[in-house]
Amino acid sequence: MDAGVSFEDRMATVEFTIAPDAHIVVDGDSCRGCTTKACISACPAGLFVPTSDGGVLFNYEQCFECGTCYMVCNVAGAITWNYPLGGHGVSFHRS
Amino acid sequence: MSDIKGPPPLNESQRSLGYVVPNTRSLQSEHDGASCDVAVVGAGPAGSAAALVLARDGWSVCLLERGSYPGSKNMYGGVIYPRVLDGLLPNWREDMPVQRWVTRRATMVMTETQSLTLDYRTSAWGSPPYNGATSFRPELDRWLAGKAVEAGAVLVEATTATGLLRDPSSGAICGVRTDRPDGDLRARIVIACDGVNSFLAKEAGLYKNLDPSNYTLGIKEVLSLPSKTIEDRFGLSPGQGADFEILGCTGGIPGGGFLYTNLDSLAVGVVVRLPELAASARRPEELVTELKAHPGIAPLVRDGELIEYSAHLIPEGGLDMMPELVCDGLLVAGDAAAMCLAAGIWLEGVNFAIGSGAAAGEAASQALASGSSNARALAGYRDRLESNFVLADHRKLRRAPHLVLSKRMQLSYPQLMCNLMEGVFTVENPSPKPGLTKLVLREAKRSGVSLTELLSDAWTAFRTFG
Ligand SMILES: Cc1cc2nc3c(=O)[nH]c(=O)nc-3n(C[C@H](O)[C@H](O)[C@H](O)COP(=O)(O)OP(=O)(O)OC[C@H]3O[C@@H](n4cnc5c(N)ncnc54)[C@H](O)[C@@H]3O)c2cc1C
Ligand code: SF4
Ligand code: SF4
């Protein structure tokens, strides 16, 4: 199999121009009570990481801007989702 | 403005919409209270087609794109059916970016260890008028946007539309806000071609409800391989390409897989429905890894070096999820209006985006000429979609997404079909060969499908695809 390709290797193939501000904001308090934590497994960029106190840590920098997270999240207000500043974020080349 | 009968000639300030020079990051400079006749949001295939039509009719068009250039934010499986361009750009064959012309189209059903393929090849698709082509979106979208610019549209890159402007008295939409300083762009009509997440269509209230089960996530890897290796493995001549669609490869999550050939790379990936993906707690990229490891796929992708990983949503619900298509001052086209045709072995979004974008452009042009941009004046849009392929195909295939994503289609039938073929082709001498009817009944039972279900699905399939 492609044992050689780690998740980090995958993400390293993608170009990101990081915007100064986060375009997606996750409200940690809402997440603590969330039973599904669906974002953690479903985000194709793996940007949601569970914390030991039952919360979620989110980093916006390597985001595909796909929308999966807000679609699978059932807790109103947990995710505030916008596109990054024009000209920033992900750029594809061979897709 | 109601006395305007045809497209007015452009005056100097409209012609030189100089404020859109990207690095000034300012959109000020207004003309008669409107910076342009039409603001098209999103320079994907839908937006560029709309802008092209309008610019040709002589209207001032501003085409906004949040990526640093058109296509930079866009990914898809990899095959475009460009004959939709025959009317719009008759010479598209001369300069459209193409990786390979598809001459082999295969549909594969698989279980964890088995696969069965219906494999169609024709060299006819390798020469004009052609059928499908593999192409990279950053190249394709940039090319199409370039055609709109040649026709006179003004492309504003690296600019995100952040909301709608409304006329305070009538409530009609009269432009968009952007993320540039002083970034309000006033327009007589806005065309939202902002893709699957369309925040503009949502803000305008055109979507009644948002059901995640109408959406799938596509995850893709591009694997580099020498073109000669690709041609040998897929049995292709130089310039020819293959297109594989796969059912039963998504670990029980409703969806499908694909494998396409570019010039010197392969595109391999899966498409999976969101609620079931979330419930499964599976990692999306693992599903692709599993597909690549399948005995029917592994020899084709072996030694391919990963050069790009990507992900994007698809509106898969078809007709049943489509929003209202117009309101006062606004039209919606392409994925923003769920125009993508995604029904199992069909995944056609780019041609539907172009078809709907062009229709939106024509309807907007007609409304501007009549001097009005309210919903009634824009209603010609739906009529155009009804009379071209866009809504006709959606109507015809209305049941297809449900059928293809049903549990029996996803799990039971791939198993049933593979077992059936295994039964037919396995030689168990000294036992004699079993009869076909007996085999069908035995395998149907083993995969938990009743005869009634089999017949009812066959009937649905016949009505859907027949
Ligand atoms: C995994 C996958 C596989 C697919 N496979 C195929 C295939 O093989 N063949 C096929 O024909 N179709 C395929 N599709 C579908 C196809 O990609 C879409 O239907 C098509 O791209 C829709 O075109 P569009 O112009 O409507 O939207 P998009 O291509 O999404 O373009 C929208 C544009 O708007 C821009 N934008 C969005 N919001 C804003 C904003 N607020 N301000 C400014 N700009 C904005 C975006 O950057 C983008 O350029 C696939 C899709 C996916 C995800
Ligand atoms: S973002 Fe949503 S799905 Fe993820 S943990 Fe928070 S509440 Fe749950
Ligand atoms: S938009 Fe997509 S890539 Fe970005 S955080 Fe959400 S799920 Fe992950």
Side-chain angles (χ1 to χ4, degrees), chain A residues 26-27 30-31 34 36-40 48 56 72-75 78-79:
Chain A
V26 179
D27 170 35
S30 307
C31 297
C34 169
T36 67
K37 300 268 192 303
C39 57
I40 295 174
F48 294 79
V56 184
V72 300
C73 176
N74 292 324
V75 178
I79 298 183

Side-chain angles (χ1 to χ4, degrees), chain B residues 378-394:
Chain B
L378 296 171
Y381 177 38
R382 179 173 279 279
D383 302 334
R384 285 169 202 275
L385 294 175
E386 294 282 1
S387 58
N388 73 15
F389 70 99
V390 175
L391 286 182
D393 283 0
H394 268 289

Side-chain angles (χ1 to χ4, degrees), chain B residues 318-323 325 332 334 337-341 351-352 355-356 359 379-398:
Chain B
L319 213 52
D320 294 341
M321 73 175 287
M322 276 182 201
L325 301 177
V332 197
M339 295 287 165
C340 176
L341 185 75
N351 48 331
F352 281 75
S356 58
Y381 177 38
R382 179 173 279 279
D383 302 334
R384 285 169 202 275
L385 294 175
E386 294 282 1
S387 58
N388 73 15
F389 70 99
V390 175
L391 286 182
D393 283 0
H394 268 289
R395 259 182 229 298
K396 182 165 160 46
L397 293 171
R398 180 170 203 155

Side-chain angles (χ1 to χ4, degrees), chain A residues 19-90:
Chain A
D21 299 314
H23 59 290
I24 298 174
V25 178
V26 179
D27 170 35
D29 288 340
S30 307
C31 297
R32 246 177 288 281
C34 169
T35 49
T36 67
K37 300 268 192 303
C39 57
I40 295 174
S41 59
C43 167
L47 298 179
F48 294 79
V49 180
T51 58
S52 53
D53 63 344
V56 184
L57 210 64
F58 174 75
N59 182 334
Y60 73 98
E61 292 182 357
Q62 294 200 315
C63 170
F64 288 123
E65 302 151 30
C66 67
T68 300
C69 49
Y70 82 80
M71 288 264 194
V72 300
C73 176
N74 292 324
V75 178
I79 298 183
T80 310
W81 205 101
N82 283 296
Y83 286 123
L85 186 67
H88 293 73
V90 71

Side-chain angles (χ1 to χ4, degrees), chain B residues 59-84:
Chain B
W59 304 107
S60 64
V61 184
C62 195
L63 177 59
L64 291 184
E65 169 54 48
R66 65 186 190 87
S68 49
Y69 59 87
S72 62
K73 297 285 182 189
N74 302 341
M75 68 77 87
Y76 75 147
V79 177
I80 172 193
Y81 296 93
R83 286 173 63 182
V84 63

